[in-house]
Amino acid sequence: MRSDYDEMGLGREAVLAHLEQGKPLNGLMTSPGATAALVVDSIAAVALDAHGGLGPTLIRHAPPRPKLLNALTAGSLAGLFPGASRRSLLALSAGLLQVHDFWEESHSAAQEADDLGEKHFSAYWHGIAHRREPDAGNASYWFRRVGRHAIFADLREEAVAIFKAAGDDRSGGRLMGGGGWDPYEMIKLCTSARPGTPVEALARRLQRAEMHLLLVANADALQGD
């Protein structure tokens, strides 16, 4: 990952304790070198580094840390990104809520952001939500709305390394045929992988990379909103 809580002088438990106690997100900005984007990255890392680095499961389940909910809302994120539009804050909230398994709240945030005209991230988070539901048809609809996303090039680059490490050329060929990234093949991979198999582990590593890249891009865009 680009950065983590340790780079800001905060350990995992310190970040979790701060958020679960209901303290404002901008309280994490007091750490040396902290920026709003780094704080977002650190919060995401708690979920993305879980399960031995595999990150969230492919299929939704109950949030492991329910006390984090209030810290991940658009209203809370406004303290990190003053002046940002509500639709942009909702899109970022949808991402953080999704990686921390607040599925319903993430879905609602993505839908509201889309209703308000957010064009860059909400549809992608909406697609991920339905992929994890799992509802392949609905996920495909939202990825058609996404089109060719800006993170696809970086995602393909990370995926090459993941496939190489796994020794799985067949799945890589389907996902990255033609030198691009195929989100519909990703839907097939994630919704068909059986729990506990090497294929599931591979798909989760890809999903982790995808979620991280999307959150980084989302937070960086908010800083210039």
Side-chain angles (χ1 to χ4, degrees):
M1 296 178 66
R2 179 187 62 183
S3 62
D4 59 25
Y5 24 76
D6 295 320
E7 289 187 26
M8 297 195 306
L10 289 173
R12 177 193 297 264
E13 295 306 318
V15 171
L16 290 174
H18 181 96
L19 299 179
E20 290 182 334
Q21 289 168 15
K23 296 179 180 179
L25 282 177
N26 57 12
L28 294 171
M29 295 284 285
T30 59
S31 301
T35 65
L38 288 178
V39 169
V40 169
D41 210 32
S42 300
I43 296 168
V46 173
L48 296 177
D49 289 346
H51 306 289
L54 291 178
T57 56
L58 299 177
I59 306 301
R60 59 180 286 198
H61 64 82
R65 297 183 178 275
K67 291 182 180 180
L68 289 179
L69 175 59
N70 289 337
L72 308 181
T73 63
S76 179
L77 289 168
L80 283 180
F81 300 95
S85 66
R86 177 165 175 77
R87 64 187 182 185
S88 297
L89 291 167
L90 281 164
L92 180 59
S93 175
L96 288 172
L97 288 164
Q98 188 64 222
V99 301
H100 282 280
D101 267 306
F102 294 100
W103 192 93
E104 296 288 353
E105 293 83 357
S106 172
H107 180 262
S108 295
Q111 182 65 65
E112 185 178 350
D114 185 73
D115 290 344
L116 291 173
E118 200 283 323
K119 302 293 185 185
H120 304 292
F121 301 101
S122 56
Y124 205 133
W125 288 119
H126 211 147
I128 289 175
H130 286 298
R131 192 179 71 204
R132 298 185 71 227
E133 188 173 4
D135 182 342
N138 218 340
S140 295
Y141 165 80
W142 284 100
F143 277 106
R144 286 194 293 273
R145 292 275 303 273
V146 170
R148 292 179 60 84
H149 199 274
I151 72 162
F152 280 177
D154 288 337
L155 179 54
R156 185 184 190 281
E157 185 175 332
E158 292 202 21
V160 168
I162 292 170
F163 282 117
K164 184 177 181 180
D168 186 338
D169 295 328
R170 186 179 61 178
S171 297
R174 291 196 298 268
L175 275 165
M176 300 183 292
W181 177 260
D182 190 333
Y184 308 107
E185 286 296 330
M186 181 66 169
I187 293 170
K188 292 178 185 177
L189 178 65
C190 291
T191 56
S192 64
R194 290 182 296 172
T197 64
V199 172
E200 186 216 20
L202 172 68
R204 286 177 68 176
R205 289 188 177 95
L206 292 169
Q207 176 180 256
R208 180 187 184 277
E210 176 188 43
M211 287 175 162
H212 181 241
L213 286 169
L214 194 58
L215 280 168
V216 168
N218 208 159
D220 285 348
L222 256 174
Q223 290 193 132
D225 195 25

